[in-house]
Amino acid sequence: MTQQKLIEDIKALKKEHNALILAHYYQEDAIQDIADYCGDSLFLAQMGQKSEAPVIVLAGVVFMGESVKILSPTKTVLVPDFNAGCSLVSGTPYEDFVKWRQKYPEHIAVTYINSSAAVKSVSDAICTSSNAEKIINSIPRDRGILFGPDKNLGRFLERKTGREMIEWPGQCEVHVLFSAKKLFTMKEENPGALVLAHPECEDAVLAYADFIGSTSGILNEVKTNKSTDTFIVATETGIFYQLQKARPEAKLIQAPFEGGCQCNDCPYMKLNSLEKIHKCLSGLSNEVQVDPNLIEKARLPLQRMMDITDGKPVIWPTWFEG
Ligand code: 13P
Ligand code: SF4
């Protein structure tokens, strides 16, 4: 089937099932083009919750599909490939996370959305990289904070908010590959270039960044910061499509990697394809299933995140009962 025919068929299937396609910025260009909405993790969760569509295809990784399902259990949520995991999810086994959580029952556990539904179910609030600072700042100052599973995001938040946190030692296998040493040289070779980095990068890389933010934050910086036309970008390659569309005249440079590898693709995000989207839509297959008990428990911290993001007051639990 030609790409054009595939796209036409996907559009027809979307109409037939009244489906919505949500795509993360790390998806290949053609998937971003066919999506109804493209965005960062927070935006996709918000759109999934707000949408009236009974069927949602989440072109991203599985935890993103699970988050939409948890927030909207009556919707049919499809993910094109169930192997689209995340190193932060696989690096945080539920049993180990609960034991860690139980050691600090009086602490508030803030968990990055890049986590399993089970880990979310024993957390107090979820966050994404675009609202994490707001979530941490909303916690009363006399409460201790546990943060997981991304230790780099956690340390960045400690610096931003001045709050001490106990961090789970997880990391993103893609973002930790950027080289601080090579970035320093690249910056010297491109005077005037601004370095934009995702907070999943290591501290040494973030130290050279002029702007640190989520994928949508990085996109917004390229759109609005007219002080330069050259940007060095330390995040996954998929974002370059929207960055270049936003500023066609800008010079966008991929931040350098350790060992000279070109490993800027997330192997999980890039498992998706137009063919797989077509396949799951035509048979309504690859439906995300989350145990109803888990949905019940995981919805509370996810909803707390949504409420804090919208500026609504929330009540924090005083003690972890699990
Ligand atoms: P964003 O929420 O910034 O899009 O990040 C998601 C992610 O997985 C980054 O690796
Ligand atoms: Fe997970 Fe990293 Fe891929 Fe994002 S880029 S989905 S954090 S492995």
Side-chain angles (χ1 to χ4, degrees):
M1 205 189 295
T2 63
Q3 172 141 323
Q4 196 46 43
K5 173 85 174 85
L6 202 52
I7 291 169
E8 278 164 24
D9 282 6
I10 291 173
K11 285 184 180 160
L13 284 165
K14 240 164 62 74
K15 220 171 184 180
E16 182 188 332
H17 296 297
N18 192 9
L20 185 82
I21 301 182
L22 299 175
H24 188 264
Y25 288 135
Y26 294 165
Q27 295 299 288
E28 64 179 64
D29 303 355
I31 295 179
Q32 294 193 39
D33 279 342
I34 203 167
D36 295 284
Y37 297 100
C38 244
D40 67 2
S41 317
L42 177 63
F43 182 72
L44 299 180
Q46 287 170 325
M47 292 315 289
Q49 189 178 31
K50 271 187 209 151
S51 166
E52 301 280 308
V55 176
I56 294 181
V57 178
L58 198 304
V61 288
V62 172
F63 75 77
M64 295 177 173
E66 283 179 350
S67 299
V68 172
K69 182 71 186 174
I70 292 164
L71 287 165
S72 308
T74 58
K75 289 174 190 157
T76 300
V77 182
L78 312 175
V79 291
D81 192 322
F82 276 129
N83 292 316
C86 169
S87 62
L88 286 163
V89 176
S90 55
T92 318
Y94 171 74
E95 291 74 17
D96 297 346
F97 186 83
V98 172
K99 275 190 207 142
W100 181 67
R101 179 84 189 83
Q102 282 165 340
K103 278 206 273 178
Y104 309 95
E106 77 290 2
H107 280 51
I108 288 175
V110 178
T111 299
Y112 195 28
I113 198 163
N114 299 39
S115 52
S116 66
V119 163
K120 285 185 178 74
S121 76
V122 287
S123 303
D124 296 316
I126 306 306
C127 72
T128 76
S129 48
S130 57
N131 61 14
E133 202 180 326
K134 195 167 183 181
I135 307 286
I136 300 297
N137 281 331
S138 73
I139 298 171
R141 295 207 71 87
D142 60 344
R143 299 293 304 272
I145 303 172
L146 292 182
F147 187 87
D150 191 302
K151 65 176 185 199
N152 293 313
L153 173 62
R155 283 203 290 252
F156 165 70
L157 290 167
E158 287 197 61
R159 292 192 291 275
K160 281 292 268 190
T161 63
R163 301 291 296 267
E164 258 182 49
M165 307 195 295
I166 299 171
E167 275 124 25
W168 179 267
Q171 57 184 22
C172 160
E173 67 180 53
V174 179
H175 285 84
V176 294
L177 293 177
F178 290 107
S179 159
K181 206 168 151 210
K182 290 183 183 173
L183 181 57
F184 172 75
T185 310
M186 186 179 266
K187 231 184 148 171
E188 292 228 304
E189 287 167 357
N190 292 276
L194 289 181
V195 175
L196 315 177
H198 196 280
E200 289 171 10
C201 296
E202 288 188 318
D203 298 353
V205 168
L206 296 182
Y208 291 119
D210 300 289
F211 173 85
I212 300 167
S214 65
T215 50
S216 58
I218 290 173
L219 176 57
N220 188 50
E221 192 63 15
V222 169
K223 274 185 189 161
T224 57
N225 192 333
K226 300 288 163 69
S227 68
T228 182
D229 271 342
T230 309
F231 299 93
I232 299 171
V233 184
T235 191
E236 210 262 5
T237 182
I239 190 75
F240 281 76
Y241 184 49
Q242 298 295 334
L243 299 184
Q244 203 71 73
K245 276 214 280 193
R247 284 278 292 277
E249 81 291 359
K251 184 178 175 194
L252 303 171
I253 310 169
Q254 177 74 58
F257 283 95
E258 290 294 350
C261 72
Q262 273 310 311
C263 16
N264 47 338
D265 275 329
C266 169
Y268 312 107
M269 288 279 184
K270 293 300 195 284
L271 281 174
N272 295 327
S273 62
L274 286 179
E275 285 80 3
K276 288 180 190 173
I277 291 176
H278 180 271
K279 194 170 170 206
C280 74
L281 256 180
S282 49
L284 293 188
S285 55
N286 273 27
E287 184 179 350
V288 173
Q289 305 284 355
V290 184
D291 179 87
N293 281 326
L294 218 49
I295 289 187
E296 208 48 45
K297 289 184 187 152
R299 196 184 315 133
L300 189 66
L302 262 169
Q303 192 53 51
R304 230 181 235 124
M305 167 182 90
M306 295 299 196
D307 289 346
I308 296 168
T309 307
D310 293 342
K312 295 181 188 158
V314 295
I315 296 168
W316 295 104
T318 49
W319 194 259
F320 177 58
E321 305 287 351

